[in-house]
């Protein structure tokens, strides 16, 4: 029975296209005009609008309906520390659940950084908004080091 599940699971993940997720364009890309609007020169207008008003990022990009699921592969389901590459199928699985049940688009990211401080630094660098929350990053790193148990806050963090 276990062999049958293994074989079916591996075939499911391999065929007809490896993995469970892909990127699908939300705009037409059939003509030269479409491509010019999607990339150059049209994309410059969207970028300039966002530079002038950062709130436009939610109306001109997929940002408002996009999240990242991120792991370093050290605590994957009941599998333990299997590394970031081996965690990818699990992260793709999370991505399809977000899409299926909440309609949210997901990028799965697997980060080769076991050190909690380095992991938090990498994740924070992915999102400019997070850079403003230095004390929360330190708190997050402490929680990772303590396996999710709340750690006392630094005096300067302003967190309880």
């Amino acid at each position: 029975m276990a062999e049958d599940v293994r074989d079916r699971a591996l075939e499911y993940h391999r065929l007809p296209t490896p993995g469970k997720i892909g990127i699908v364009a939300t705009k037409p890309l059939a003509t030269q005009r479409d491509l010019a609007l999607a990339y150059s020169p049209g994309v410059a207008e969207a970028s300039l609008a966002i530079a002038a008003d950062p709130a436009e990022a939610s109306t001109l990009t997929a940002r408002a309906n996009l999240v990242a699921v991120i792991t370093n592969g050290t605590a994957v389901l009941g599998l333990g520390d299997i590394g970031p590459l081996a965690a990818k199928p699990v992260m793709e699985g999370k991505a399809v659940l977000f899409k299926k049940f909440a309609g949210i688009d997901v990028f799965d990211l697997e980060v080769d950084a076991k050190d909690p401080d380095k992991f938090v630094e990498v994740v924070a660098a992915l999102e400019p908004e997070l850079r403003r929350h230095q004390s929360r990053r330190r708190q997050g790193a402490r929680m990772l080091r303590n396996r999710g148990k709340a750690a006392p806050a630094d005096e300067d963090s302003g967190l309880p």
Side-chain angles (χ1 to χ4, degrees), residues 134-144 150-154 159:
Q134 296 292 331
S135 61
R136 293 191 189 276
R137 286 186 5 211
R138 286 193 303 271
Q139 178 73 7
R142 280 194 305 278
M143 290 179 72
L144 283 171
D154 290 339
L159 297 174

Side-chain angles (χ1 to χ4, degrees), residues 8 23-24 57 84 108 119 123 125 137 140 159-160:
R8 287 187 299 151
I23 305 278
V24 177
D108 66 295
F119 180 77
V123 172
R137 286 186 5 211
L159 297 174

Side-chain angles (χ1 to χ4, degrees), residues 69-71 87-96 106 108-110:
V69 290
I70 306 171
T71 186
K88 186 158 187 65
V90 174
M91 303 310 282
E92 285 185 354
K94 289 180 182 192
V96 297
V106 174
D108 66 295
L109 302 172
E110 297 74 33

Side-chain angles (χ1 to χ4, degrees), residues 22-74:
I23 305 278
V24 177
T26 61
K27 305 291 184 266
L29 301 172
T31 68
Q32 175 67 29
R33 179 184 175 277
D34 294 341
L35 295 174
L37 290 172
Y39 193 58
S40 185
V43 73
E45 296 304 327
S47 294
L48 292 171
I50 294 167
D53 180 4
E56 287 288 347
S58 293
T59 67
L60 296 171
T61 71
R63 179 182 176 91
N65 193 50
L66 182 66
V67 299
V69 290
I70 306 171
T71 186
N72 63 359
T74 58

